[in-house]
PDB file of all heavy atoms in Angstrom:
ATOM      1  N   MET A   4     234.910 139.379  31.314  1.00 98.00           N
ATOM      2  CA  MET A   4     234.631 139.025  29.919  1.00 98.00           C
ATOM      3  C   MET A   4     235.161 137.644  29.571  1.00 98.00           C
ATOM      4  O   MET A   4     234.597 136.944  28.750  1.00 98.00           O
ATOM      5  CB  MET A   4     235.232 140.062  28.985  1.00 98.00           C
ATOM      6  CG  MET A   4     235.066 139.754  27.511  1.00 98.00           C
ATOM      7  SD  MET A   4     235.629 141.059  26.431  1.00 98.00           S
ATOM      8  CE  MET A   4     234.340 142.266  26.671  1.00 98.00           C
ATOM      9  N   SER A   8     243.413 129.868  31.443  1.00 98.00           N
ATOM     10  CA  SER A   8     244.069 128.737  32.080  1.00 98.00           C
ATOM     11  C   SER A   8     245.360 129.197  32.750  1.00 98.00           C
ATOM     12  O   SER A   8     245.994 130.162  32.320  1.00 98.00           O
ATOM     13  CB  SER A   8     244.383 127.671  31.031  1.00 98.00           C
ATOM     14  OG  SER A   8     245.337 126.747  31.510  1.00 98.00           O
ATOM     15  N   SER A  13     250.134 129.925  25.196  1.00 98.00           N
ATOM     16  CA  SER A  13     249.612 130.566  23.988  1.00 98.00           C
ATOM     17  C   SER A  13     248.473 131.517  24.342  1.00 98.00           C
ATOM     18  O   SER A  13     247.738 131.288  25.306  1.00 98.00           O
ATOM     19  CB  SER A  13     249.087 129.504  23.018  1.00 98.00           C
ATOM     20  OG  SER A  13     250.103 128.590  22.668  1.00 98.00           O
ATOM     21  N   ARG A  20     229.631 135.455  29.706  1.00 98.00           N
ATOM     22  CA  ARG A  20     228.520 136.120  29.019  1.00 98.00           C
ATOM     23  C   ARG A  20     228.545 137.628  29.248  1.00 98.00           C
ATOM     24  O   ARG A  20     227.623 138.343  28.830  1.00 98.00           O
ATOM     25  CB  ARG A  20     227.180 135.548  29.473  1.00 98.00           C
ATOM     26  CG  ARG A  20     226.825 135.790  30.937  1.00 98.00           C
ATOM     27  CD  ARG A  20     225.437 135.271  31.288  1.00 98.00           C
ATOM     28  NE  ARG A  20     224.397 135.965  30.547  1.00 98.00           N
ATOM     29  CZ  ARG A  20     223.107 135.607  30.564  1.00 98.00           C
ATOM     30  NH1 ARG A  20     222.712 134.558  31.288  1.00 98.00           N
ATOM     31  NH2 ARG A  20     222.217 136.279  29.876  1.00 98.00           N
ATOM     32  N   GLY A  38     221.833 133.364  15.293  1.00 97.00           N
ATOM     33  CA  GLY A  38     220.668 132.510  15.439  1.00 97.00           C
ATOM     34  C   GLY A  38     220.139 132.353  16.846  1.00 97.00           C
ATOM     35  O   GLY A  38     219.297 131.494  17.098  1.00 97.00           O
ATOM     36  N   LEU A  50     231.871 140.136  18.803  1.00 99.00           N
ATOM     37  CA  LEU A  50     233.120 139.473  18.445  1.00 99.00           C
ATOM     38  C   LEU A  50     234.267 140.475  18.413  1.00 99.00           C
ATOM     39  O   LEU A  50     235.370 140.189  18.897  1.00 99.00           O
ATOM     40  CB  LEU A  50     232.980 138.784  17.081  1.00 99.00           C
ATOM     41  CG  LEU A  50     234.257 138.115  16.544  1.00 99.00           C
ATOM     42  CD1 LEU A  50     234.734 137.001  17.473  1.00 99.00           C
ATOM     43  CD2 LEU A  50     234.025 137.585  15.130  1.00 99.00           C
ATOM     44  N   PRO A  61     239.504 140.102  14.737  1.00 98.00           N
ATOM     45  CA  PRO A  61     238.324 139.234  14.605  1.00 98.00           C
ATOM     46  C   PRO A  61     238.252 138.509  13.267  1.00 98.00           C
ATOM     47  O   PRO A  61     237.728 137.389  13.192  1.00 98.00           O
ATOM     48  CB  PRO A  61     237.143 140.202  14.795  1.00 98.00           C
ATOM     49  CG  PRO A  61     237.707 141.568  14.577  1.00 98.00           C
ATOM     50  CD  PRO A  61     239.134 141.499  15.011  1.00 98.00           C
ATOM     51  N   VAL A  65     238.437 131.270  13.059  1.00 98.00           N
ATOM     52  CA  VAL A  65     237.848 130.128  12.362  1.00 98.00           C
ATOM     53  C   VAL A  65     236.936 129.441  13.369  1.00 98.00           C
ATOM     54  O   VAL A  65     237.406 128.936  14.399  1.00 98.00           O
ATOM     55  CB  VAL A  65     238.903 129.129  11.853  1.00 98.00           C
ATOM     56  CG1 VAL A  65     238.222 127.990  11.092  1.00 98.00           C
ATOM     57  CG2 VAL A  65     239.939 129.821  10.982  1.00 98.00           C
ATOM     58  N   PRO A  68     230.231 125.893  11.892  1.00 98.00           N
ATOM     59  CA  PRO A  68     229.035 125.333  12.525  1.00 98.00           C
ATOM     60  C   PRO A  68     229.370 124.003  13.204  1.00 98.00           C
ATOM     61  O   PRO A  68     230.046 123.151  12.619  1.00 98.00           O
ATOM     62  CB  PRO A  68     228.068 125.136  11.350  1.00 98.00           C
ATOM     63  CG  PRO A  68     228.518 126.112  10.320  1.00 98.00           C
ATOM     64  CD  PRO A  68     230.010 126.180  10.452  1.00 98.00           C
ATOM     65  N   SER A  72     230.142 116.225  16.633  1.00 98.00           N
ATOM     66  CA  SER A  72     230.818 115.134  15.932  1.00 98.00           C
ATOM     67  C   SER A  72     232.231 114.974  16.476  1.00 98.00           C
ATOM     68  O   SER A  72     232.616 115.604  17.457  1.00 98.00           O
ATOM     69  CB  SER A  72     230.890 115.469  14.441  1.00 98.00           C
ATOM     70  OG  SER A  72     231.798 116.545  14.228  1.00 98.00           O
ATOM     71  N   THR A  77     242.357 120.524   9.952  1.00 98.00           N
ATOM     72  CA  THR A  77     243.595 121.282   9.947  1.00 98.00           C
ATOM     73  C   THR A  77     243.322 122.566   9.174  1.00 98.00           C
ATOM     74  O   THR A  77     242.941 122.514   8.004  1.00 98.00           O
ATOM     75  CB  THR A  77     244.726 120.491   9.277  1.00 98.00           C
ATOM     76  OG1 THR A  77     244.926 119.267   9.990  1.00 98.00           O
ATOM     77  CG2 THR A  77     246.023 121.295   9.284  1.00 98.00           C
ATOM     78  N   ASN A  91     228.751 130.812   3.991  1.00 97.00           N
ATOM     79  CA  ASN A  91     228.217 129.915   2.969  1.00 97.00           C
ATOM     80  C   ASN A  91     229.330 129.052   2.388  1.00 97.00           C
ATOM     81  O   ASN A  91     230.471 129.492   2.261  1.00 97.00           O
ATOM     82  CB  ASN A  91     227.557 130.715   1.844  1.00 97.00           C
ATOM     83  CG  ASN A  91     226.341 131.475   2.330  1.00 97.00           C
ATOM     84  OD1 ASN A  91     225.557 130.973   3.132  1.00 97.00           O
ATOM     85  ND2 ASN A  91     226.181 132.706   1.860  1.00 97.00           N
ATOM     86  N   GLY A  96     231.912 121.001  11.766  1.00 98.00           N
ATOM     87  CA  GLY A  96     232.731 120.098  12.560  1.00 98.00           C
ATOM     88  C   GLY A  96     232.928 120.628  13.958  1.00 98.00           C
ATOM     89  O   GLY A  96     232.327 121.642  14.347  1.00 98.00           O
ATOM     90  N   GLY A  98     236.285 120.499  15.797  1.00 98.00           N
ATOM     91  CA  GLY A  98     237.638 120.646  16.283  1.00 98.00           C
ATOM     92  C   GLY A  98     238.575 121.145  15.209  1.00 98.00           C
ATOM     93  O   GLY A  98     238.290 121.018  14.007  1.00 98.00           O
ATOM     94  N   THR A 116     231.701 120.992  26.674  1.00 98.00           N
ATOM     95  CA  THR A 116     233.056 121.144  27.196  1.00 98.00           C
ATOM     96  C   THR A 116     234.007 121.694  26.148  1.00 98.00           C
ATOM     97  O   THR A 116     234.265 121.034  25.144  1.00 98.00           O
ATOM     98  CB  THR A 116     233.576 119.780  27.693  1.00 98.00           C
ATOM     99  OG1 THR A 116     232.580 119.166  28.518  1.00 98.00           O
ATOM    100  CG2 THR A 116     234.858 119.941  28.482  1.00 98.00           C
ATOM    101  N   VAL A 134     238.774 121.816  20.687  1.00 98.00           N
ATOM    102  CA  VAL A 134     237.657 120.924  20.404  1.00 98.00           C
ATOM    103  C   VAL A 134     236.434 121.299  21.240  1.00 98.00           C
ATOM    104  O   VAL A 134     236.545 121.843  22.337  1.00 98.00           O
ATOM    105  CB  VAL A 134     238.001 119.438  20.645  1.00 98.00           C
ATOM    106  CG1 VAL A 134     239.151 118.990  19.770  1.00 98.00           C
ATOM    107  CG2 VAL A 134     238.298 119.164  22.109  1.00 98.00           C
ATOM    108  N   CYS A 149     242.199 114.702  18.508  1.00 98.00           N
ATOM    109  CA  CYS A 149     242.944 115.953  18.407  1.00 98.00           C
ATOM    110  C   CYS A 149     244.396 115.743  18.824  1.00 98.00           C
ATOM    111  O   CYS A 149     245.323 116.228  18.152  1.00 98.00           O
ATOM    112  CB  CYS A 149     242.286 117.031  19.264  1.00 98.00           C
ATOM    113  SG  CYS A 149     242.995 118.677  19.043  1.00 98.00           S
ATOM    114  N   SER A 163     254.529 116.576  26.209  1.00 97.00           N
ATOM    115  CA  SER A 163     254.666 118.021  26.394  1.00 97.00           C
ATOM    116  C   SER A 163     253.399 118.777  25.997  1.00 97.00           C
ATOM    117  O   SER A 163     253.345 119.999  26.145  1.00 97.00           O
ATOM    118  CB  SER A 163     255.850 118.545  25.579  1.00 97.00           C
ATOM    119  OG  SER A 163     257.067 117.996  26.051  1.00 97.00           O
ATOM    120  N   CYS A 171     232.119 124.674  31.820  1.00 98.00           N
ATOM    121  CA  CYS A 171     231.119 123.831  31.159  1.00 98.00           C
ATOM    122  C   CYS A 171     230.187 123.306  32.246  1.00 98.00           C
ATOM    123  O   CYS A 171     230.374 123.593  33.431  1.00 98.00           O
ATOM    124  CB  CYS A 171     231.792 122.677  30.419  1.00 98.00           C
ATOM    125  SG  CYS A 171     232.768 121.576  31.479  1.00 98.00           S
ATOM    126  N   CYS A 176     225.224 119.184  37.944  1.00 97.00           N
ATOM    127  CA  CYS A 176     224.017 119.628  37.241  1.00 97.00           C
ATOM    128  C   CYS A 176     223.660 118.787  36.023  1.00 97.00           C
ATOM    129  O   CYS A 176     222.556 118.917  35.489  1.00 97.00           O
ATOM    130  CB  CYS A 176     224.176 121.076  36.784  1.00 97.00           C
ATOM    131  SG  CYS A 176     224.324 122.273  38.128  1.00 97.00           S
ATOM    132  N   ASP A 182     220.128 105.923  28.999  1.00 91.00           N
ATOM    133  CA  ASP A 182     220.598 105.714  27.623  1.00 91.00           C
ATOM    134  C   ASP A 182     221.993 106.290  27.431  1.00 91.00           C
ATOM    135  O   ASP A 182     222.835 105.685  26.759  1.00 91.00           O
ATOM    136  CB  ASP A 182     219.631 106.358  26.627  1.00 91.00           C
ATOM    137  CG  ASP A 182     218.302 105.634  26.540  1.00 91.00           C
ATOM    138  OD1 ASP A 182     218.238 104.478  27.012  1.00 91.00           O
ATOM    139  OD2 ASP A 182     217.337 106.207  26.020  1.00 91.00           O
ATOM    140  N   ASN A 189     229.179 101.631  26.087  1.00 96.00           N
ATOM    141  CA  ASN A 189     229.388 100.958  24.807  1.00 96.00           C
ATOM    142  C   ASN A 189     230.447 101.648  23.955  1.00 96.00           C
ATOM    143  O   ASN A 189     231.225 101.000  23.259  1.00 96.00           O
ATOM    144  CB  ASN A 189     228.066 100.891  24.035  1.00 96.00           C
ATOM    145  CG  ASN A 189     227.051  99.995  24.700  1.00 96.00           C
ATOM    146  OD1 ASN A 189     227.407  99.044  25.395  1.00 96.00           O
ATOM    147  ND2 ASN A 189     225.768 100.288  24.518  1.00 96.00           N
ATOM    148  N   LYS A 197     230.971 103.623  34.839  1.00 94.00           N
ATOM    149  CA  LYS A 197     230.802 103.477  36.286  1.00 94.00           C
ATOM    150  C   LYS A 197     231.559 104.543  37.058  1.00 94.00           C
ATOM    151  O   LYS A 197     231.073 105.058  38.063  1.00 94.00           O
ATOM    152  CB  LYS A 197     231.266 102.085  36.728  1.00 94.00           C
ATOM    153  CG  LYS A 197     230.332 100.965  36.295  1.00 94.00           C
ATOM    154  CD  LYS A 197     230.851  99.616  36.769  1.00 94.00           C
ATOM    155  CE  LYS A 197     229.890  98.502  36.379  1.00 94.00           C
ATOM    156  NZ  LYS A 197     230.394  97.162  36.797  1.00 94.00           N
ATOM    157  N   ARG A 198     232.759 104.882  36.581  1.00 96.00           N
ATOM    158  CA  ARG A 198     233.575 105.871  37.288  1.00 96.00           C
ATOM    159  C   ARG A 198     232.999 107.266  37.189  1.00 96.00           C
ATOM    160  O   ARG A 198     233.094 108.058  38.137  1.00 96.00           O
ATOM    161  CB  ARG A 198     235.001 105.871  36.730  1.00 96.00           C
ATOM    162  CG  ARG A 198     235.858 104.714  37.168  1.00 96.00           C
ATOM    163  CD  ARG A 198     237.260 104.845  36.604  1.00 96.00           C
ATOM    164  NE  ARG A 198     237.937 106.032  37.093  1.00 96.00           N
ATOM    165  CZ  ARG A 198     239.071 106.505  36.601  1.00 96.00           C
ATOM    166  NH1 ARG A 198     239.645 105.891  35.580  1.00 96.00           N
ATOM    167  NH2 ARG A 198     239.637 107.581  37.096  1.00 96.00           N
ATOM    168  N   GLY A 208     216.960 105.436  37.389  1.00 90.00           N
ATOM    169  CA  GLY A 208     217.380 105.326  36.002  1.00 90.00           C
ATOM    170  C   GLY A 208     218.100 106.540  35.462  1.00 90.00           C
ATOM    171  O   GLY A 208     218.433 106.589  34.276  1.00 90.00           O
ATOM    172  N   MET A 222     242.327 112.023  27.822  1.00 98.00           N
ATOM    173  CA  MET A 222     243.583 112.680  27.474  1.00 98.00           C
ATOM    174  C   MET A 222     244.773 111.958  28.099  1.00 98.00           C
ATOM    175  O   MET A 222     245.809 111.767  27.456  1.00 98.00           O
ATOM    176  CB  MET A 222     243.540 114.152  27.893  1.00 98.00           C
ATOM    177  CG  MET A 222     242.642 114.994  26.993  1.00 98.00           C
ATOM    178  SD  MET A 222     242.756 116.775  27.320  1.00 98.00           S
ATOM    179  CE  MET A 222     241.595 116.941  28.672  1.00 98.00           C
ATOM    180  N   GLY A 226     248.296 109.695  26.496  1.00 98.00           N
ATOM    181  CA  GLY A 226     249.680 110.013  26.790  1.00 98.00           C
ATOM    182  C   GLY A 226     249.957 111.364  27.396  1.00 98.00           C
ATOM    183  O   GLY A 226     251.121 111.705  27.649  1.00 98.00           O
ATOM    184  N   ARG A 250     221.138 124.219  29.657  1.00 98.00           N
ATOM    185  CA  ARG A 250     220.271 123.477  30.574  1.00 98.00           C
ATOM    186  C   ARG A 250     219.563 124.411  31.549  1.00 98.00           C
ATOM    187  O   ARG A 250     218.356 124.272  31.774  1.00 98.00           O
ATOM    188  CB  ARG A 250     221.088 122.424  31.336  1.00 98.00           C
ATOM    189  CG  ARG A 250     220.244 121.640  32.330  1.00 98.00           C
ATOM    190  CD  ARG A 250     220.855 120.304  32.670  1.00 98.00           C
ATOM    191  NE  ARG A 250     220.866 119.410  31.516  1.00 98.00           N
ATOM    192  CZ  ARG A 250     220.753 118.081  31.600  1.00 98.00           C
ATOM    193  NH1 ARG A 250     220.594 117.498  32.782  1.00 98.00           N
ATOM    194  NH2 ARG A 250     220.800 117.326  30.520  1.00 98.00           N
ATOM    195  N   THR A 258     225.501 132.353  23.449  1.00 98.00           N
ATOM    196  CA  THR A 258     226.577 131.374  23.268  1.00 98.00           C
ATOM    197  C   THR A 258     227.927 132.042  23.522  1.00 98.00           C
ATOM    198  O   THR A 258     228.141 133.187  23.142  1.00 98.00           O
ATOM    199  CB  THR A 258     226.542 130.807  21.831  1.00 98.00           C
ATOM    200  OG1 THR A 258     225.278 130.168  21.614  1.00 98.00           O
ATOM    201  CG2 THR A 258     227.661 129.804  21.605  1.00 98.00           C
TER     202      THR A 258
END
Side-chain angles (χ1 to χ4, degrees):
M4 177 174 287
S8 163
S13 302
R20 65 176 297 173
L50 177 62
V65 182
S72 70
T77 300
N91 295 320
T116 312
V134 300
C149 188
S163 296
C171 60
C176 295
D182 290 344
N189 293 332
K197 289 180 178 178
R198 284 182 63 192
M222 287 188 276
R250 179 158 294 212
T258 300

